[in-house]
Amino acid sequence: MKLRSAMGALTALGLALSATTAFSAAHNEGTLGAVEAKGSIQCGVSQGLPGFSNKDDAGNWTGIDVDYCRAVAAAVFGDSNAVKFTPLSAKERFTALSSGEVDILSRNTTWTMTRDTQLGLNFAGVNYYDGQGMMVPTSLGVTNAMELDGASICTNTGTTTELNITDFFRTNNMSFELVAFEKADEVVAAYDSGRCDVYTTDKSGIAAQRLKLADPAAHTILPETISKEPLGPVVRQGDDGWFNVARWTLNCMINAEEMGVSSANVGEMMSSTNPGIARLLGTEGTFGENIGLANNWCANIISMVGNYGETYEANVGANTPLKLAREGSVNALWTNGGLMYAPPLR
Ligand SMILES: N[C@@H](CCC(=O)N[C@@H](CS)C(=O)NCC(=O)O)C(=O)O
């Protein structure tokens, strides 16, 4: 009797084990499994920052942060449209991620130690290296930040921006008045109406928000860069499977650019005999399978969204309204003197 029940337990255990094995082979766990089950990814973006995440006139979300979300959808579903966007203010973005309202945050968000260690979040990498700047009406006649003693400064709540500007003025023994709003458009409107002398945010954000001013040409960006703002996508801590997908989606795009694989040539590249390209595109190895995806996950990203350089140039590059020239900047590939460097698919 004892033996029989022990055998029964073993059989039950054996069944349970094989059932688990079969299940995990077919289905992923955590956020990856959950997004596969619902058929789309919920991506947290800004409320409207041209070049990064912004709705165009036809109601479509565009931008380098939006392209990254589409790339994750291409990797998971082989469909870059299997993504929905949730516009979030700076203040509400982290709660939206930790509460599960969004699966991933791709919203000009600076990777800092506090966010990485105290908020239960993980940064998947950097998709734009930035730094904080200041803009003033040219009519003020100010040429550098050291002339700003006593200035009033418009900025966003819940950002690194308000912390850095406070550090900067205190360190330089200058007084200032902070005028902070939660909604980015309120900040821009306040600055444009003359409510403050200075508008401060990430330099890419200044290039973007400047386009919304009544007369963009009547404003000057001061030469100082007062902080490091490495911007990148974020996921919840404790979900390594989803973190892998988030991190390697970005790495796929950067590696593809380095190897000369683009949306224009990915079709012919599928028959490349270059072993690095074959691994990247999944014609060799099981790199996709290893992270719970199809082996052509990266080929799908490149054909449906493009490599990192393509999305940079299309959204924020020298030929866009933001005119953020990549050549000679920290956002160039490491092979071209910049910081964009992805670990190898190996
Ligand atoms: N990178 C900084 C600032 C991010 C931020 O929220 N910037 C504002 C000013 S550019 C913004 O995103 N505005 C656009 C929006 O909220 O739609 C951070 O992570 O705290």
Side-chain angles (χ1 to χ4, degrees), residues 46-49 90 93 107-110 115 156 159-161 184 199 201-202 205 209 229 231:
S46 79
Q47 293 171 313
L49 188 61
R93 62 188 146 169
R107 188 208 174 281
N108 54 301
T109 293
T110 306
R115 290 171 178 177
N156 268 90
T159 58
T160 48
T161 321
Y199 174 73
T201 186
D202 304 337
Q209 302 290 36
E229 308 291 328
L231 311 177

Side-chain angles (χ1 to χ4, degrees), residues 91-338:
K91 200 175 155 198
E92 61 198 6
R93 62 188 146 169
F94 301 123
T95 321
L97 180 58
S98 33
S99 69
E101 187 188 335
V102 296
D103 302 308
I104 194 161
L105 186 68
S106 182
R107 188 208 174 281
N108 54 301
T109 293
T110 306
W111 185 350
T112 70
M113 183 165 177
T114 303
R115 290 171 178 177
D116 200 10
T117 64
Q118 302 303 294
L119 298 186
L121 307 175
N122 273 338
F123 284 79
V126 177
N127 72 339
Y128 191 94
Y129 288 95
D130 212 342
Q132 187 172 335
M134 288 170 241
M135 176 166 66
V136 294
T138 310
S139 59
L140 275 190
V142 169
T143 57
N144 72 75
M146 300 313 290
E147 297 167 28
L148 290 174
D149 195 9
S152 53
I153 301 172
C154 276
T155 193
N156 268 90
T157 48
T159 58
T160 48
T161 321
E162 55 176 346
L163 309 175
N164 298 327
I165 199 74
T166 304
D167 282 356
F168 179 79
F169 274 77
R170 287 202 182 135
T171 310
N172 289 297
N173 289 316
M174 298 196 294
S175 67
F176 66 104
E177 184 208 351
L178 209 56
V179 183
F181 301 88
E182 183 181 344
K183 287 215 156 65
D185 282 349
E186 289 173 341
V187 186
V188 177
Y191 170 74
D192 210 14
S193 72
R195 172 72 185 80
C196 11
D197 306 312
V198 182
Y199 174 73
T200 185
T201 186
D202 304 337
K203 281 197 159 170
S204 66
I206 293 184
Q209 302 290 36
R210 178 185 199 160
L211 304 169
K212 297 178 183 168
L213 300 175
D215 182 6
H219 300 264
T220 301
I221 299 169
L222 299 180
E224 287 84 358
T225 302
I226 67 165
S227 69
K228 290 187 289 188
E229 308 291 328
L231 311 177
V234 199
V235 292
R236 286 178 289 277
Q237 247 175 40
D239 187 340
D240 290 353
W242 186 234
F243 179 65
N244 284 341
V245 170
R247 162 171 276 181
W248 286 92
T249 292
L250 184 57
N251 287 340
C252 151
M253 297 173 84
I254 298 170
N255 278 320
E257 183 186 8
E258 187 184 327
M259 293 177 181
V261 180
S262 69
S263 59
N265 66 15
V266 63
E268 32 185 297
M269 287 288 188
M270 291 304 281
S271 48
S272 170
T273 53
N274 175 314
I277 294 177
R279 284 193 297 272
L280 184 82
L281 300 180
T283 54
E284 207 175 290
T286 56
F287 293 88
E289 241 174 72
N290 298 348
I291 56 170
L293 305 177
N295 284 329
N296 65 348
W297 63 288
C298 182
N300 283 338
I301 293 175
I302 303 309
S303 71
M304 295 174 184
V305 181
N307 68 33
Y308 177 79
E310 290 182 271
T311 136
Y312 185 102
E313 295 304 343
N315 294 299
V316 301
N319 297 321
T320 68
L322 272 74
K323 297 189 174 65
L324 296 169
R326 191 170 176 220
E327 184 74 29
S329 84
V330 284
N331 288 299
L333 280 184
W334 68 288
T335 44
N336 205 15

